[in-house]
C-alpha cells in the first residue's frame, strides 16, 4: 500500500451540529424515473379466490411485473382485486367481474424513497429496498465530519487543488494548479497542455508513489487500480475528461466545493460517475461549507 503523507484528525463537533453538517453534502445522483404500463384487473368473490388464483398463476404469468401483488382487497366492493394480465383476451374464462385496465409501475423501484409512492398505483408484493447508504442522511456522522474537515483543508489552499484520502483520513497524495480550461494573454494554446488538469496531476502523483512502493512487490488482482476505495477531494467539480479518468482509476468517492456547469463530468454537463454504460461507478458529492 502507498505511504501516506499525513493524517487528518476528525473535527470535534457537538451532536447539535450533526443535522447541519449533513445538509452540507449533496449526493449527485440520477433520479429514478417512474415509467407506467397497463394491466387488466378484475374482481372475484372470496369463495372463488383460491381457485381463480391457482389457475391464473399457472396459465397467466405476468413476467416482469411479478413484483406486483397479484391479489388485494377492494374496500369499495368488498371483493378481491386480481391482476389478470397485460392483455384482456381470455379474461371471461376466469369469471372476473368489473374487468378494467389500470396503470402500474413497469419496474420495481430500486430507491427506497420511491417505494411508497409507486405503491399508490398498485400494491407492491416485495418489501422496500434497503436505504441508499451513500445518501448524507444515512452516512455515519463520523464520516461526514471527516469529509467536512478534508473540504475545509482544500478550501484553505485558496486555489485549484486536490488530494487523495483514505477512509480513515490518511492523505495519500496532493496536487495543485493545472489548466482551468480558459485562455489568457499569458496562457495560450501554444504554451499550455490542455490535458494538464489538477486531477491529471493527482493521478500522476499517486502513480509515482505507487510505482516506487511496488518496486519489490507484486500487485494482487484485487489491487490493480490506483484509487480503489480512495476518496478524492477537489476544489472544483472534475471536467468530463477527468471524471472518466477517475472511472478508469476506480475511485470510491469524489467531493468537490464548486459546481462546473460548463464542463463538469459529475452532474454539471454530464454524469460520467453514474453512467450505466460504464463498468465502474462512483459517488460524487457537492459540499457547501458554512
Amino acid at each position: 500500500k502507498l505511504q501516506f503523507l499525513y493524517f487528518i484528525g476528525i473535527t470535534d463537533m457537538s451532536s447539535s451540529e450533526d443535522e447541519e453538517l449533513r445538509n452540507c453534502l449533496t449526493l449527485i445522483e440520477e433520479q429514478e424515473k417512474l415509467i407506467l404500463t397497463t394491466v387488466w384487473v378484475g374482481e372475484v368473490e372470496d369463495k372463488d379466490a383460491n381457485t381463480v388464483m391457482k389457475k391464473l398463476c399457472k396459465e397467466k404469468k405476468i413476467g416482469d411485473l411479478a413484483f406486483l401483488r397479484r391479489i388485494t382487497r377492494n374496500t369499495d366492493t368488498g371483493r378481491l382485486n386480481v391482476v389478470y394480465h397485460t392483455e384482456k383476451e381470455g379474461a371471461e374464462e376466469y369469471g372476473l367481474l368489473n374487468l378494467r385496465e389500470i396503470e402500474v409501475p413497469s419496474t420495481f423501484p430500486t430507491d427506497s424513497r420511491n417505494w411508497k409512492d409507486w405503491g399508490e398505483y398498485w400494491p407492491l408484493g416485495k418489501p422496500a429496498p434497503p436505504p441508499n447508504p451513500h445518501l448524507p442522511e444515512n452516512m455515519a456522522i463520523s464520516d461526514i465530519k471527516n469529509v467536512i474537515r478534508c473540504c475545509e483543508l482544500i478550501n484553505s489552499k485558496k486555489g485549484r487543488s486536490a488530494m487523495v484520502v483514505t477512509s480513515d483520513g490518511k492523505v495519500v497524495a496532493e496536487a495543485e494548479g493545472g489548466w482551468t480550461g480558459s485562455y489568457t494573454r499569458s496562457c495560450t494554446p501554444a504554451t499550455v497542455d490542455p490535458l494538464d488538469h489538477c486531477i491529471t496531476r493527482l493521478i500522476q502523483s499517486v502513480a509515482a508513489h505507487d510505482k516506487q512502493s511496488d518496486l519489490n512487490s507484486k500487485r494482487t488482482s484485487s489491487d490493480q487500480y490506483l484509487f480503489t476505495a480512495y476518496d478524492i477531494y477537489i476544489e472544483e467539480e472534475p471536467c468530463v475528461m477527468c471524471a472518466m479518468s477517475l472511472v478508469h482509476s476506480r475511485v470510491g468517492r469524489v467531493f468537490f466545493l464548486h459546481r462546473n456547469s460548463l464542463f463538469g463530468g459529475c452532474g454539471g454537463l454530464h454524469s460520467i460517475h453514474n453512467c450505466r454504460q460504464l463498468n465502474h461507478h462512483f459517488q460524487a458529492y457537492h459540499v457547501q461549507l458554512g
Side-chain angles (χ1 to χ4, degrees):
K1 277 295 181 182
L2 300 180
Q3 296 294 320
F4 63 92
L5 303 181
Y6 55 89
F7 176 75
I8 297 178
I10 297 176
T11 305
D12 186 19
M13 300 177 182
S14 65
S15 58
S16 61
E17 296 177 285
D18 290 359
E19 193 62 33
E20 184 177 345
L21 290 178
R22 293 186 190 279
N23 292 334
C24 293
L25 273 66
T26 301
L27 177 64
I28 311 302
E29 58 179 334
E30 181 181 0
Q31 296 299 319
E32 188 175 27
K33 296 180 180 178
L34 171 61
I35 300 176
L36 298 175
T37 187
T38 57
V39 296
W40 287 90
V41 172
E43 298 176 13
V44 295
E45 300 289 353
D46 286 41
K47 60 182 178 62
D48 301 321
N50 190 43
T51 302
V52 171
M53 286 306 301
K54 283 184 177 180
K55 191 175 181 182
L56 279 176
C57 290
K58 181 179 179 180
E59 301 173 1
K60 290 290 182 179
K61 299 184 184 300
I62 52 177
D64 293 340
L65 298 178
F67 61 86
L68 297 174
R69 189 177 296 173
R70 197 71 192 260
I71 187 168
T72 184
R73 177 69 63 183
N74 188 322
T75 55
D76 294 329
T77 65
R79 292 191 286 261
L80 293 168
N81 283 331
V82 174
V83 174
Y84 169 62
H85 201 253
T86 54
E87 302 291 337
K88 184 180 180 181
E89 183 180 359
E92 63 277 359
E93 300 177 15
Y94 298 87
L96 299 177
L97 308 172
N98 192 23
L99 197 65
R100 60 201 183 276
E101 191 175 27
I102 67 168
E103 289 186 322
V104 297
S106 60
T107 58
F108 185 77
T110 58
D111 189 334
S112 60
R113 295 169 294 180
N114 293 329
W115 187 84
K116 182 178 180 181
D117 291 340
W118 291 24
E120 294 293 331
Y121 288 89
W122 184 268
L124 305 179
K126 295 169 58 178
N132 183 353
H134 304 297
L135 289 171
E137 57 263 36
N138 299 327
M139 292 169 60
I141 194 62
S142 59
D143 187 17
I144 291 181
K145 289 178 179 179
N146 202 26
V147 167
I148 297 298
R149 180 68 187 93
C150 291
C151 289
E152 289 174 341
L153 183 58
I154 285 290
N155 193 47
S156 69
K157 296 180 182 297
K158 303 299 181 184
R160 188 169 295 260
S161 59
M163 60 186 185
V164 180
V165 184
T166 63
S167 59
D168 56 355
K170 296 175 182 177
V171 178
V172 173
E174 296 178 306
E176 293 185 0
W179 187 48
T180 63
S182 60
Y183 296 115
T184 64
R185 290 181 179 179
S186 61
C187 178
T188 65
T191 61
V192 155
D193 179 2
L195 301 181
D196 184 27
H197 292 204
C198 193
I199 288 292
T200 307
R201 293 185 178 189
L202 190 66
I203 292 174
Q204 291 171 342
S205 177
V206 174
H209 283 82
D210 185 64
K211 182 179 179 180
Q212 186 170 357
S213 63
D214 283 333
L215 284 178
N216 299 316
S217 64
K218 294 183 178 180
R219 304 186 67 121
T220 65
S221 59
S222 61
D223 192 28
Q224 296 177 357
Y225 300 98
L226 288 177
F227 291 164
T228 300
Y230 288 162
D231 293 337
I232 299 290
Y233 293 85
I234 188 168
E235 177 256 347
E236 186 178 54
E237 175 186 345
C239 70
V240 173
M241 179 191 75
C242 290
M244 194 65 209
S245 297
L246 294 174
V247 169
H248 288 310
S249 300
R250 299 300 192 265
V251 70
R253 302 184 298 182
V254 173
F255 300 89
F256 54 85
L257 302 181
H258 305 294
R259 302 295 295 267
N260 183 350
S261 59
L262 292 178
F263 307 109
C266 297
L269 178 63
H270 295 292
S271 295
I272 302 297
H273 65 295
N274 58 17
C275 179
R276 296 181 180 180
Q277 286 75 25
L278 299 179
N279 62 351
H280 176 72
H281 308 100
F282 60 86
Q283 284 73 51
Y285 297 83
H286 177 210
V287 182
Q288 296 175 285
L289 299 176

